[in-house]
Amino acid sequence: MSFMPSFLISLAAVAVLFGIGYGGAAAGAGAVIGIYVPYAALLVFLGGLVWKVADWANSPVPFRIPTTSGQQKSLDWIRRDPIDSPFTKGEVVLRMALEVLFFRSLLKNTKTQLHHGKPAYATDLWLWLAAIIFHYSMLVVLLRHLRLFLAETPFFVTAIERADGFMQVGVPVFYATSIGILLGLLWLLSRRILNPLVRYISLPNDYFPLLLLLGIAGSGFCLRYIDKTDIVAVKELTVGLASFSPAADAIANINPLFFGHLFLVAILFAYFPFSKLMHLAGVFLSPTRNLANNSRAERHINPWNPKVKMHTYDEYEDDFRDLMKEVGLPVEKE
Amino acid sequence: MSDKGKIFLGLIVFIVAVTYPMWGGVFAKTPAPDVQLPDGKCIESRDYMVANHMNMLDEWRDKFVREGEEIYIASDGTEHAISLTKTCMKSGCHDNKTEFCDKCHTYADVDPYCWDCHVAPDQVAPKGGN
């Protein structure tokens, strides 16, 4: 599918979904959107995620297939690269930690350019930076939301809020991650649209998650800074959801914008296990990353190799020794 | 393969973490705040005040401290002196910080820095003492 339809379909989908949440609540269906939909979405999220991961866990990985980009362990006097060609478990853990926490592979060959008519690969540092800013902002935003789900806010959430609002600008205090998550997403989206190489391979399932997250972050931004709502009523509803005793009477006091936000979040949860967003689990389960490159030191036998019935030459000769001698063929044992 | 145990363990850790909001509050239940509203009418509507009081106070501070304005004209035309402790928290209105401000702020984990400078009327030492 080409750019325009892909992008427009995704944009329209997010707009319609937001409209369902916003309009549904405004039309009096707040209980459906505020109570039933989130529970259903959480069930789909957890069920789908477990199913997907179980499917991956059941997929055989008989051999070591790490993608390496460094010298493997061989002779002692050849300098090796423990991270790009890990040999021990510890080195694999280090490699995975750098991947999961610092997105190390985004620093390699993420930009293709023509140099004197030949393609050359380089690091797209901006891509890495935008990804880091988005993901860590998202993490902080998620953790900050715990204040709405736990009646007594845990100390670490308060500490995160303090650190995030260190600029102490405005009321309510402006959080650095509020703008970080939006800027990160906007950069990732504009890269997809403006870079012709990336645009060519982009599909609705690339645009939709980005636009959905932008819709969530944008509506959340509005709820905090622009079109505010009764946060105590919101917390009554969300604490009620978390403790399985939904407070339906709080719904009437809540801005419909909140339900637009909540419905998009529910859609994100339900969509998550079936989308590219599953890189959340996939990054841990990539056989090209999480295996040690030790095939030259250890023999990895395919566990479902069929049992082969062996018939060695010695046995063959035992069977036919007399006949072989008769026709003058040489034999090993007389 | 032999990694199924590890994957299962990771899955359990993930599910426990994701459902933290559901089990994290089981032992500590705080009821939603039950705020006693004073009789009479606030300077703007209840819904507006609930959502936007912090912005109003923020603007008041800047108007009073930086621009020297002392009067706020409400949307219904009535005039009010710009003062946290003498207008909002005057006797008969929201004169009790603990019973009014703190109830929601504690519940929603909001920590406004009003009190870095201001002293709430109910927290002033009673007159006659030292």
Side-chain angles (χ1 to χ4, degrees):
Chain A
M1 201 184 280
S2 61
F3 164 64
M4 261 309 175
S6 300
F7 181 76
L8 290 179
I9 285 173
S10 310
L11 189 64
V14 173
V16 166
L17 290 167
F18 177 80
I20 291 174
Y22 188 100
V32 176
I33 288 156
I35 296 169
Y36 298 108
V37 170
Y39 279 136
L42 186 68
L43 278 180
V44 173
F45 173 72
L46 289 178
L49 191 127
V50 168
W51 167 73
K52 201 91 185 180
V53 170
D55 188 35
W56 288 339
N58 284 321
S59 304
V61 184
F63 301 122
R64 298 295 162 127
I65 53 166
T67 46
T68 59
S69 50
Q71 176 62 46
Q72 72 169 313
K73 180 177 158 60
S74 55
L75 299 168
D76 285 342
W77 48 271
I78 297 178
R79 195 174 65 185
R80 53 182 293 260
D81 188 333
I83 295 170
D84 278 324
S85 184
F87 183 78
T88 63
K89 228 174 214 174
E91 289 163 5
V92 170
V93 169
L94 181 65
R95 189 189 203 202
M96 288 298 292
L98 290 173
E99 187 66 49
V100 171
L101 299 174
F102 302 111
F103 310 168
R104 190 162 173 269
S105 42
L106 276 187
L107 289 169
K108 284 184 191 169
N109 303 340
T110 40
K111 189 162 62 179
T112 315
Q113 280 173 331
L114 283 178
H115 272 276
H116 308 295
K118 288 179 180 169
Y121 302 96
T123 295
D124 186 354
L125 204 58
W126 290 108
L127 169 64
W128 176 83
L129 194 66
I132 283 277
I133 289 175
F134 161 67
H135 281 87
Y136 277 100
S137 296
M138 176 95 186
L139 177 67
V140 169
V141 169
L142 273 175
L143 289 174
R144 280 203 277 100
H145 274 71
L146 283 175
R147 82 176 169 117
L148 298 175
F149 291 95
L150 294 163
E152 279 168 33
T153 312
F155 69 95
F156 65 89
V157 174
T158 311
I160 288 171
E161 286 171 347
R162 288 255 169 84
D164 200 0
F166 76 102
M167 293 182 283
Q168 228 183 55
V169 175
V171 177
V173 170
F174 189 79
Y175 287 134
T177 51
S178 295
I179 198 73
I181 190 171
L182 284 171
L183 288 180
L185 283 168
L186 282 172
W187 200 94
L188 294 173
L189 181 66
S190 52
R191 163 181 174 268
R192 231 170 237 297
I193 295 171
L194 300 177
N195 183 334
L197 303 178
V198 185
R199 184 172 63 220
Y200 183 73
I201 57 166
S202 293
L203 293 167
N205 52 14
D206 296 306
Y207 294 113
F208 179 69
L210 276 173
L211 291 167
L212 185 63
L213 284 163
L214 267 172
I216 290 168
S219 57
F221 187 94
C222 287
L223 273 168
R224 180 170 174 84
Y225 302 107
I226 299 165
D227 186 12
K228 289 192 264 293
T229 184
D230 180 349
I231 196 69
V232 170
V234 168
K235 183 161 179 173
E236 276 177 58
L237 176 70
T238 46
V239 166
L241 285 176
S243 56
F244 298 105
S245 48
D249 45 347
I251 287 170
N253 291 330
I254 301 174
N255 185 341
L257 178 60
F258 168 80
F259 291 95
H261 179 70
L262 182 66
F263 193 69
L264 289 185
V265 173
I267 295 295
L268 176 71
F269 268 67
Y271 171 69
F272 199 99
F274 315 101
S275 70
K276 62 185 291 186
L277 300 172
M278 271 303 280
H279 66 266
L280 168 81
V283 69
F284 294 98
L285 297 182
S286 308
T288 53
R289 295 280 143 191
N290 64 16
L291 293 171
N293 183 24
N294 60 2
S295 295
R296 297 182 100 183
E298 267 178 50
R299 189 174 177 208
H300 301 284
I301 296 169
N302 185 359
W304 66 91
N305 273 348
K307 284 262 181 290
V308 179
K309 199 170 171 252
M310 307 288 270
H311 192 233
T312 61
Y313 180 75
D314 284 348
E315 290 163 351
Y316 170 87
E317 206 179 89
D318 289 345
D319 291 347
F320 299 106
R321 185 166 290 110
D322 295 342
L323 292 165
M324 289 168 79
K325 279 183 181 168
E326 243 179 69
V327 295
L329 282 171
V331 289
E332 302 270 316
K333 277 191 275 183
E334 287 300 327
Chain B
M1 298 294 297
S2 60
D3 286 337
K4 272 184 192 172
K6 277 182 243 167
I7 296 174
F8 183 71
L9 202 70
L11 211 52
I12 297 287
V13 169
F14 180 78
I15 290 174
V16 168
V18 166
T19 53
Y20 171 58
M22 293 176 170
W23 53 261
V26 168
F27 302 107
K29 255 196 170 176
T30 313
D34 177 24
V35 176
Q36 295 300 318
L37 291 178
D39 293 333
K41 190 172 151 298
C42 200
I43 55 181
E44 299 287 355
S45 74
R46 181 200 169 274
D47 287 349
Y48 181 83
M49 292 310 291
V50 165
N52 297 297
H53 62 277
M54 70 297 280
N55 291 91
M56 179 181 277
L57 292 170
D58 194 36
E59 282 163 25
W60 278 20
R61 181 193 60 186
D62 291 353
K63 274 185 181 166
F64 191 89
V65 174
R66 297 183 189 161
E67 292 157 35
E69 281 184 43
E70 295 182 13
I71 300 295
Y72 171 77
I73 300 169
S75 53
D76 63 357
T78 54
E79 293 188 355
H80 304 272
I82 290 185
S83 170
L84 172 66
T85 40
K86 288 177 189 151
T87 300
C88 308
M89 304 186 75
K90 70 182 175 198
S91 180
C93 286
H94 313 297
D95 50 10
N96 194 326
K97 170 177 177 283
T98 323
E99 287 297 309
F100 186 72
C101 308
D102 290 351
K103 272 197 167 170
C104 293
H105 288 164
T106 307
Y107 182 66
D109 191 37
V110 178
D111 183 21
Y113 49 85
C114 312
W115 318 107
D116 289 3
C117 303
H118 289 277
V119 179
D122 62 318
Q123 291 174 355
V124 179
K127 281 178 188 168
N130 289 316

